[in-house]
């Protein structure tokens, strides 16, 4: 896949993804609900090494209650979450971003499920798997990730 430039809703914050995201899911957690002001968010993730932030980016990094290891980069201009980094191990970091930030959403994979579904405000009518509870949701993301790595090797 070609590199793609991703942008926040106001266009002031950008970053580049250099590979196709590994996983994609809908997150219904309360922090996403309040940051995005939506009942749930369509999220994609890839290895942080494949994400390039401009040197003088326009992001403010904040930590929120959940998940504790996730540092969320928020656009200083429009207050939208732009890209978040999750440390899994000393040199292993994942980057999460809202799928709508890419120009061509069809270049992303299909969504694999709903997490934090116990916080669901808007029922989904799709047939995707739904994971409720904190640990079940975390585990679902981990297994999506492992599945995507197994498929590649
Ligand atoms: Zn969330
Ligand atoms: Zn913005």
């Amino acid at each position: 896949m070609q590199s793609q430039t991703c942008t926040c809703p106001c266009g002031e914050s950008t970053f580049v993804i250099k590979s196709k995201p590994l996983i994609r899911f809908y997150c219904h957690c309360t922090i996403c609900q309040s940051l995005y002001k939506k009942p749930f968010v369509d999220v994609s993730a890839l290895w942080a090494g494949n994400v390039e932030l401009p040197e003088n980016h326009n992001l403010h990094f904040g930590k929120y209650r959940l998940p504790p290891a996730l540092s969320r980069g928020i656009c200083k201009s429009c207050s939208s979450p732009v890209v978040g980094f999750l440390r899994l191990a000393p040199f292993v970091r994942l980057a999460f971003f809202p799928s709508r930030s890419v120009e061509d959403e069809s270049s992303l994979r299909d969504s694999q499920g709903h997490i934090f579904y116990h916080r669901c405000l808007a029922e989904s009518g799709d047939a995707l798997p739904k994971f409720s509870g904190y640990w079940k949701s975390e585990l679902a993301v981990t297994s999506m990730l492992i599945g995507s790595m197994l498929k590649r090797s």
Side-chain angles (χ1 to χ4, degrees), residues 131-148:
F131 304 94
S132 291
Y134 183 78
W135 291 111
K136 276 194 188 145
S137 300
E138 293 278 284
L139 197 63
V141 172
T142 309
S143 34
M144 287 173 198
L145 197 59
I146 291 171
S148 81

Side-chain angles (χ1 to χ4, degrees), residues 27 29 32 72:
C27 186
C29 83
C32 285
R72 295 179 189 252

Side-chain angles (χ1 to χ4, degrees), residues 15-119:
F15 63 98
V16 171
I17 55 171
K18 295 188 290 183
S19 75
K20 186 173 169 155
L22 302 165
I23 59 175
R24 183 177 183 179
F25 54 86
Y26 296 105
C27 186
H28 297 254
C29 83
T30 49
I31 295 171
C32 285
Q33 287 168 355
S34 74
L35 286 176
Y36 290 89
K37 299 173 182 73
K38 282 186 180 162
F40 61 88
V41 193
D42 178 345
V43 181
S44 292
L46 73 170
W47 298 121
N50 291 325
V51 170
E52 254 172 25
L53 273 182
E55 241 173 74
N56 31 17
H57 62 70
N58 186 38
L59 302 178
H60 154 80
F61 280 93
K63 294 237 182 201
Y64 296 84
R65 198 170 44 83
L66 289 175
L70 177 65
S71 168
R72 295 179 189 252
I74 312 287
C75 174
K76 285 180 189 164
S77 309
C78 67
S79 308
S80 290
V82 178
V83 60
F85 294 100
L86 179 69
R87 188 174 295 279
L88 300 174
F91 296 100
V92 187
R93 284 196 317 156
L94 264 181
F96 291 88
F97 65 91
S99 304
R100 57 137 166 82
S101 3
V102 300
E103 238 165 68
D104 176 14
E105 259 190 64
S106 69
S107 70
L108 302 174
R109 55 167 308 145
D110 292 332
S111 192
Q112 295 159 277
H114 296 259
I115 65 166
F116 292 103
Y117 206 65
H118 55 298
R119 299 294 190 192

